[in-house]
Amino acid sequence: MFLALRDLRAARGRFLLITLVVTLVALLVSFLSGLTAGLAHQNISAVQGISADYLVFADSGRDPSFDASALTEQQVEAWRVAARSVEPIGIGRAEAVRSGDEAAPARVALFGAQESIFGNRAATEPGSVVLSEGAAQALHVAAGDTVSVNERAFTVAAVRGDDWYSHTPVVWTTVADWRSLTPRGGAATVLAVSGVSDAAAADAAAHTTTASVSGSLDALGSYRAENGSLTLMTALLFAISALVIGAFFTVWTIQRTPDIATLKALGATSGSLVRDTLAQAAVVLFAGAAAGLGITVLAATFVVDDVPLALTPATTVLPAAALIVLGLLGAAFALRFLFTTDPLAALGAAR
């Protein structure tokens, strides 16, 4: 570690440059991870809040889709026979505006469901709605106000939860109100079922298709496209960071070949040299990752209202730790020739 610190002080410019590179990569990775999580939250958080074993979609001959699913009363009744608990959920889109407000209507996701599925978020009385925080903010209303949904007046019973569906804030109604607001939606969009012994047989009898709540997320096309693209970009950033850091330490180690040869000739073991160089890399990586995270957190305070960033340990600490580990692996790979370097040959080559 003594030699590592001496090198850091002697070549401050070079190590500041690679630290800056690590900082930029850490900033990109943490910001992109937070953006991925934030976009996912605004896409699927309402679906993730469903309390059930399975979601049942209408079988259209293709992959399940929330937009294409429309269940009939016969299909709902067929599932009531097959499962212990069957709750219809209506999902649609609507335009809402504060009653008496001449502003342009806001687009909202309309969920019709029973209270047992979404907890205290679902509306319990006909003619009332429960708004998510995003919907209340978009409509500038609070509990007790009146809103117009598809030109029908509803009383705001409560404002609860930060739930979104396909990047639109959620408004909850009763199932009966949802059906009247979306007459072409069928009896329900999906069914939340629990306590079913043979889902395959029930699907065959009702002409439906079943998926777990987590597996149903792919039924949202926007989520599948966004999440796949952003996850791929994050993975590529990790790979690039390992290559960049590995290349830097490869060049740096080659430039130090005469010094390494001298140390080996004086009795230094290859293991001690590797540990010393990896300690050097760890200092650079920790400093760069910490600076990148700090900039991300600082930037998030300024853009939180405009960019859906979700800063959690999973989107900040975990990516930084992965970046450090990958950087150390890249540095270790660059040092593989230390075990085969002949000190006498290296000293002769230096002359």
Side-chain angles (χ1 to χ4, degrees):
M1 190 64 182
F2 173 76
L3 291 175
L5 295 177
R6 289 290 299 271
D7 268 343
L8 289 173
R9 287 196 296 268
R12 289 187 296 271
R14 294 178 183 179
F15 284 106
L16 283 175
L17 179 61
I18 190 60
T19 302
L20 178 61
V21 173
V22 175
T23 298
L24 292 176
V25 173
L27 172 62
L28 286 172
V29 169
S30 57
F31 201 89
L32 190 57
S33 297
L35 181 61
T36 302
L39 287 173
H41 174 77
Q42 288 198 353
N43 217 339
I44 61 174
S45 57
V47 176
Q48 287 179 315
I50 297 175
S51 176
D53 294 340
Y54 300 100
L55 290 185
V56 178
F57 296 81
D59 188 1
S60 61
R62 299 187 297 270
D63 292 335
S65 170
F66 284 101
D67 291 332
S69 180
L71 296 165
T72 64
E73 286 287 358
Q74 292 75 16
Q75 290 173 312
V76 175
E77 291 303 319
W79 269 98
R80 291 192 189 279
V81 175
R84 183 187 72 252
S85 173
V86 177
E87 297 292 347
I89 300 176
I91 302 175
R93 292 176 175 82
E95 291 187 344
V97 66
R98 181 175 179 172
S99 295
D101 195 341
E102 297 181 358
R107 293 287 293 173
V108 296
L110 196 63
F111 273 57
Q114 301 294 329
E115 190 174 10
S116 58
I117 301 301
F118 290 99
N120 63 356
R121 286 168 168 77
T124 57
E125 298 293 333
S128 67
V129 293
V130 174
L131 305 184
S132 65
E133 294 173 2
Q137 184 177 5
L139 300 173
H140 306 289
V141 296
D145 291 338
T146 303
V147 296
S148 177
V149 181
N150 285 356
E151 300 182 351
R152 178 179 167 186
F154 289 86
T155 301
V156 179
V159 176
R160 299 190 182 108
D162 183 28
D163 292 301
W164 298 72
Y165 173 81
S166 192
H167 299 294
T168 50
V170 176
V171 172
W172 283 276
T173 70
T174 63
V175 176
D177 284 339
W178 176 85
R179 289 172 180 168
S180 66
L181 290 169
T182 56
R184 296 182 180 180
T189 304
V190 295
L191 299 177
V193 301
S194 299
V196 56
S197 57
D198 192 345
D203 276 333
H207 303 290
T208 56
T209 181
T210 304
S212 64
V213 174
S214 59
S216 69
L217 300 180
D218 284 337
L220 268 169
S222 58
Y223 168 73
R224 183 169 59 248
E226 284 179 2
N227 192 64
S229 300
L230 292 172
T231 301
L232 177 61
M233 292 170 64
T234 304
L236 289 175
L237 276 176
F238 279 126
I240 290 169
S241 66
L243 290 173
V244 168
I245 295 168
F248 172 82
F249 282 103
T250 297
V251 174
W252 179 243
T253 305
I254 291 174
Q255 290 178 341
R256 293 174 59 210
T257 298
D259 298 332
I260 292 172
T262 302
L263 291 172
K264 294 192 74 172
L266 291 174
T269 63
S270 297
S272 64
L273 293 174
V274 169
R275 287 192 298 272
D276 191 72
T277 306
L278 287 180
Q280 198 176 70
V283 171
V284 172
L285 289 166
F286 272 102
L293 285 184
I295 296 173
T296 300
V297 173
L298 181 63
T301 60
F302 293 100
V303 300
V304 65
D305 294 330
D306 302 314
V307 180
L309 279 178
L311 296 185
T312 64
T315 60
T316 54
V317 178
L318 189 60
L323 179 63
I324 292 171
V325 171
L326 288 173
L328 288 174
L329 289 175
F333 183 77
L335 302 174
R336 64 194 184 281
F337 73 92
L338 285 178
F339 294 95
T340 59
T341 298
D342 183 359
L344 295 178
L347 286 171
R351 292 196 292 270

